[in-house]
Amino acid sequence: MIFGVLFAHRRYSVRKYLFTLMIVLGVAVFFYENGKAHTKDEKKEIGFGEGLLLFSLAMDGVTGTIQERMRHSHRTRPNAMMMWMNIFSSLVLLAGKNLRKSCFFFRE
């Protein structure tokens, strides 16, 4: 939503801002650690999972904004855009799997 306001100059209703605030508060509760005491020497660090969550939310915002711009300026149909996005994502994932040589099996 922030990316939509900043980059696509979109306007949203108060209701959408309220729902977004509720989601942000939910993520903040997820980050909150109740009852864990930290010593002076111990630093509070964001873990790998929290980093992935923030990255996923940021990329979701960027993707939505870019798709809206493409739909508006190039008159692309939503189904065609979804199909090509899925094909491109599958090719990138397949290339990554082949580079790791773990295409059809899982490793521990």
Side-chain angles (χ1 to χ4, degrees):
M1 188 174 207
I2 292 172
F3 290 108
V5 171
L6 293 177
F7 300 123
H9 308 291
R10 296 225 31 205
R11 295 186 188 266
Y12 298 100
S13 67
V14 175
R15 183 177 174 184
K16 286 198 178 205
Y17 283 112
L18 181 65
F19 288 150
T20 303
L21 180 64
M22 289 169 52
I23 291 171
V24 168
L25 289 175
V27 171
V29 167
F30 174 75
F31 279 127
Y32 180 68
E33 294 180 13
N34 190 11
K36 285 193 175 181
H38 296 285
T39 64
K40 280 187 174 181
D41 298 332
E42 186 180 41
K43 280 186 178 179
K44 172 85 171 128
E45 295 182 13
I46 294 180
F48 185 67
E50 290 90 353
L52 287 176
L53 176 64
L54 292 175
F55 181 72
S56 173
L57 289 172
M59 290 300 103
D60 185 47
V62 169
T63 302
T65 303
I66 290 172
Q67 285 180 345
E68 284 181 25
R69 275 185 140 175
M70 287 173 60
R71 224 178 299 136
H72 179 70
S73 61
H74 298 292
R75 307 280 185 222
T76 1
R77 295 185 323 255
N79 290 335
M81 185 182 302
M82 188 184 317
M83 180 188 73
W84 286 110
M85 190 71 129
N86 287 334
I87 288 172
F88 178 74
S89 298
S90 297
L91 290 174
V92 168
L93 288 173
L94 186 62
K97 293 291 276 181
N98 284 335
L99 287 174
R100 293 190 66 206
K101 296 184 175 127
S102 62
C103 195
F104 296 109
F105 56 90
F106 296 100
R107 293 184 193 176
E108 289 185 22

